[in-house]
Amino acid sequence: MSKHSEIEIALVKTLSSTEVPDLIKEYAEIGIDAVISDGLLKDIPLVGTIVGIAKAGINISDRIFIKKLLKFLCQLNKLSPQMRQNMVNKLESDEAYGRKVGEHVIEILDRIDSYRKPKMIALVFKAYTEGRIDAKKLHSLNHAVDRIPSNEISEVRKIHEMSDEERLNANVDILQCLQNAGLVNVFSGFGSLVYEPNYLCNLFLDLNLDRTDA
């Protein structure tokens, strides 16, 4: 079984478990070496799997990935155990989702950068669990988080709050980044291209995805 396959299974077990200690947030901040050396959390399926893989040898990219995984998990720890278990069950029975939860989360986390996006992805899953978005919007928001450069995340709200006239004079590179992320629509008007925030941008901001920290 591959490293990722092992982690996929352990992640789902951990999300469905009755308790994920608050201490895991500290581990997300101080890094994998502490997870390896300290046995306090080894009974949590995900942490036990990480420790086992780490002892067999991990490289820098593995370390970065594990930190992203722990950041994602500590954000979801704000949900009750029952809500986390319901999330897994609901997602895997939702035809519009169409994925295995562990596989999907690992795929996303492996692709995104480690700065603040793991917490953003967790907030998207949390919104789904709370019934604020459906599976289609979950996929669209995850795509937006994946595609938008981290250094442009703080620009989303600024662009959204601009008037149409102000947006005509906004930085084109930023606007194109938001377009690539699916957060603005573009059409011709006033003798130039007009960028207009769309429903996904509204949702992105309603969920405060731009206000997560590292």
Side-chain angles (χ1 to χ4, degrees):
M1 184 181 294
S2 68
K3 291 179 184 179
H4 279 189
S5 295
E6 290 181 56
I7 293 175
E8 286 170 20
I9 294 170
L11 173 61
V12 172
K13 286 183 179 178
T14 299
L15 288 173
S16 302
S17 66
T18 57
E19 183 180 1
V20 180
D22 290 337
L23 191 59
I24 203 165
K25 180 177 181 180
E26 180 181 338
Y27 280 75
E29 300 301 327
I30 61 181
I32 183 61
D33 290 326
V35 177
I36 298 170
S37 62
D38 193 333
L40 288 176
L41 301 181
K42 67 181 187 324
D43 291 333
I44 299 173
L46 180 61
V47 176
T49 298
I50 289 172
V51 170
I53 290 172
K55 287 181 177 178
I58 59 174
N59 55 36
I60 292 175
S61 63
D62 290 329
R63 289 173 180 269
I64 293 172
F65 173 75
I66 289 168
K67 186 168 184 177
K68 289 189 284 187
L69 191 58
L70 292 176
K71 282 186 175 184
F72 171 84
L73 187 61
C74 74
Q75 187 72 37
L76 282 183
N77 194 36
K78 296 175 183 178
L79 294 173
S80 70
Q82 186 62 50
M83 288 184 74
R84 283 188 276 107
Q85 187 168 12
N86 288 345
M87 178 188 77
V88 174
N89 294 338
K90 182 181 176 184
L91 281 167
E92 298 207 339
S93 63
D94 190 333
E95 291 184 3
Y97 179 66
R99 300 292 303 274
K100 292 292 185 182
V101 175
E103 177 186 57
H104 187 212
V105 171
I106 297 305
E107 179 184 296
I108 296 171
L109 294 181
D110 198 27
R111 198 166 54 234
I112 63 175
D113 64 55
S114 60
Y115 171 51
R116 59 199 287 191
K117 290 185 178 182
K119 292 184 179 181
M120 295 170 72
I121 295 295
L123 287 176
V124 174
F125 277 91
K126 182 173 180 285
Y128 174 88
T129 305
E130 295 170 341
R132 299 177 66 185
I133 61 173
D134 58 20
K136 183 177 179 179
K137 291 184 176 68
L138 178 143
H139 282 303
S140 295
L141 284 167
N142 283 339
H143 175 78
V145 173
D146 180 16
R147 295 297 298 273
I148 188 169
S150 288
N151 63 310
E152 305 294 5
I153 292 170
S154 61
E155 300 296 325
V156 178
R157 197 171 294 270
K158 295 176 186 176
I159 295 295
H160 183 271
E161 292 175 352
M162 288 180 179
S163 66
D164 292 341
E165 184 177 353
E166 289 172 329
R167 216 172 288 122
L168 287 172
N169 298 309
N171 186 300
V172 174
D173 290 336
I174 294 174
L175 291 170
Q176 288 178 343
C177 284
L178 270 59
Q179 180 191 3
N180 290 338
L183 298 174
V184 299
N185 297 331
V186 60
F187 55 91
S188 297
F190 306 105
S192 64
L193 292 178
V194 177
Y195 294 84
E196 185 174 281
N198 55 27
Y199 84 94
L200 190 65
C201 185
N202 294 335
L203 194 53
F204 187 98
L205 297 175
D206 286 344
L207 297 179
N208 289 317
L209 299 186
D210 62 320
R211 289 176 170 165
T212 56
D213 55 24

